[in-house]
Amino acid sequence: MNFDVVYEKYLNGTATEEEKAYIEAEIAKAKKLNAIIDQLDAKRVIQPAETKEVKQATKTMKKKFGIRAAAVSLAVLVILVLLIIGSIFTYIHIKAANKAEYTKNECIELAKKSVNDHSDVISTDLVVMGIDRDLRVYDGKLSRAVYIYEIEVRKGFLEYEVEVNTATGETVIVDVDD
């Protein structure tokens, strides 16, 4: 049976006994369903979220996402800065290496010769006490980078600190200690 058609007859008073029983049974079912829904609402099975709690949760999530975004941005920035610095140092070292005309051993020999030329006494008992390679940039121009060997040479009781430019072979006695 079609409820809408039968219900119209019920309201007009033209419904048969069978149709009246059908409508009254359906109304009884609807009342029972309403009672069950009312009981569930009374028990608050589905509780609406408190506005204050939702706002607090939203605020907390925004903070977490903000902190994460800031941390990721900072990490990316640090990586970019490190890459740029690494690129600059690589460029400087390549420039200095390309300009090097004298090897380490040749620079040692140039330092010994400079020490012998420094005094009237020529000695073959020169001892290299230490050697260190340094990178120098002249006039603030990265393209003018060169390697300088800092070589400590002992001649008798004197210790000389000599710098040798690997690009030009120029030697400079920086310090003499006794």
Side-chain angles (χ1 to χ4, degrees), residues 4-151:
D4 291 335
V5 173
V6 175
Y7 185 67
E8 186 68 34
K9 285 182 176 182
Y10 180 81
L11 292 176
N12 292 338
T14 58
T16 66
E17 290 301 319
E18 180 185 348
E19 290 172 333
K20 285 181 186 178
Y22 169 71
I23 293 298
E24 289 170 359
E26 291 298 315
I27 290 173
K29 284 182 198 175
K31 287 181 180 178
K32 284 183 183 178
L33 284 173
N34 279 336
I36 291 170
I37 291 171
D38 289 343
Q39 284 177 349
L40 290 175
D41 281 344
K43 291 180 182 178
R44 303 197 85 190
V45 171
I46 301 174
Q47 295 181 354
E50 294 291 327
T51 305
K52 184 178 177 182
E53 291 172 358
V54 171
K55 285 182 179 179
Q56 183 61 39
T58 303
K59 187 177 180 181
T60 302
M61 290 304 294
K62 284 181 179 178
K63 276 185 185 178
K64 285 182 181 179
F65 286 130
I67 290 170
R68 285 183 188 146
V72 168
S73 298
L74 183 62
V76 167
L77 183 63
V78 167
I79 290 170
L80 286 174
V81 167
L82 291 175
L83 284 172
I84 291 169
I85 290 171
S87 297
I88 291 169
F89 278 112
T90 300
Y91 173 79
I92 293 170
H93 282 282
I94 289 171
K95 284 293 185 179
N98 287 340
K99 287 183 184 171
E101 297 290 329
Y102 295 89
T103 66
K104 179 179 177 180
N105 289 335
E106 290 171 330
C107 288
I108 291 171
E109 292 305 316
L110 288 170
K112 287 179 179 179
K113 181 180 180 324
S114 180
V115 167
N116 268 332
D117 291 348
H118 187 258
S119 66
D120 294 337
V121 180
I122 295 178
S123 173
T124 56
D125 292 335
L126 299 175
V127 178
V128 175
M129 303 299 291
I131 186 165
D132 190 27
R133 186 176 77 170
D134 190 22
L135 182 66
R136 300 240 177 106
V137 176
Y138 292 100
D139 300 330
K141 295 180 181 176
L142 300 180
S143 61
R144 296 205 53 213
V146 295
Y147 285 121
I148 302 289
Y149 277 107
E150 297 170 347
I151 304 169

